[in-house]
Every structure is written in C-alpha cells, then in structure tokens.
Amino acid sequence: MGPATIVVSPNDKKVEVAWAPSIRERIPGGIAVAALMAAMLGMLTLALVNVVTTASPAFNTWVHDVGKLWMPGAQGIGPYSGKETLALIGWLGSWVVLHRGLRKRDLEISRWLIVFLVGVGIATTLIWPPVFEYLAGHK
C-alpha cells in the first residue's frame, strides 16, 4: 500500500501517512473459527469412527455399507469409504451449524487456533495404529 493523503484538521492541512484505514467492513473472526473447528471435528470424526470400526465388526460392516451408498469403487477400498463419508458429513454438518452460530461474533482467532491444533494432534494420535488398536482392545 502506498502513502495516502488524508485531512487531519479543519484548516485543510494535509499529511502523508504510510497507512490509510480500509474502507471495507471488518470481517468477524467467528467465520474463521467456525471453519477451523469444523475441520477439526471432521478429523476427530474420522479418528473416532476408525477406532470403533476396529473394535466392532458389526459397526465396521455398517460403515462399509454407508460408503457403498454413493462412492464408486467402495467395494474395492472397504470400510474406508464409509469412514471418509462419515468424516465428510461431520465436517460439513458442523461447519453449517458453527458458521450460523459464530458468523457475527468477533472471536480471537489465535486462541481458537490452539484448540484446533490440539484437536488435530488428538485426531492424528487416534489414527496411529498402535493407539487405535490398543483402544479397540486388539493389543
């Protein structure tokens, strides 16, 4: 942004400044927080479904059936198709709800970024085979 000239007094004195305020309206931080939290919830959904499908053969079959409802080639990739489907539903569903609830709130993004990173860390840990197999009772 280049220097701008603004009027600072009624005497028409002009001063050059390095920054001029934007004429655009400020976008509330709640919109970004909703997107971050929805992404985290989608990842946690995938991780939790992965743990439960490992623990329960009946749930594993149901999850595979969910994937076969709409995903071409789901038979070839097994229950992963359903896991991804449920994660997609968790992500999009939570994004709609959170966006509607937070879109007009001005939240501090840095605090919510920490929550997001912790959630991603938990989801990543739950996807790691030694962890989800232990939680499912296989080891």
Side-chain angles (χ1 to χ4, degrees):
M1 206 181 250
T5 303
I6 60 172
V7 176
V8 292
S9 71
N11 299 337
D12 281 334
K13 292 182 182 177
K14 295 184 179 184
V15 176
E16 289 221 3
V17 294
W19 176 84
S22 175
I23 58 172
R24 290 187 294 178
E25 187 177 328
R26 180 169 158 72
I27 298 172
I31 294 170
V33 170
L36 282 172
M37 293 301 102
M40 178 192 72
L41 289 171
M43 288 182 255
L44 286 170
T45 301
L46 177 64
L48 291 174
V49 169
N50 190 51
V51 170
V52 177
T53 55
T54 305
S56 169
F59 186 69
N60 189 33
T61 301
W62 179 80
V63 168
H64 190 193
D65 291 340
V66 168
K68 288 191 285 187
L69 289 175
W70 73 280
M71 192 178 290
Q75 187 61 37
I77 62 173
Y80 190 71
S81 60
K83 293 174 188 180
E84 287 296 319
T85 301
L86 293 174
L88 180 68
I89 291 168
W91 167 58
L92 288 175
S94 64
W95 198 1
V96 168
V97 171
L98 289 169
H99 180 77
R100 287 179 183 241
L102 300 177
R103 67 181 171 206
K104 294 182 181 178
R105 295 183 62 190
D106 194 18
L107 300 173
E108 189 176 331
I109 296 172
S110 61
R111 289 182 183 181
W112 289 99
L113 183 61
I114 293 168
V115 173
F116 169 78
L117 292 173
V118 168
V120 169
I122 291 169
T124 302
T125 302
L126 288 173
I127 293 288
W128 191 37
V131 173
F132 75 75
E133 288 174 355
Y134 175 78
L135 291 173
H138 285 226
K139 286 189 179 183

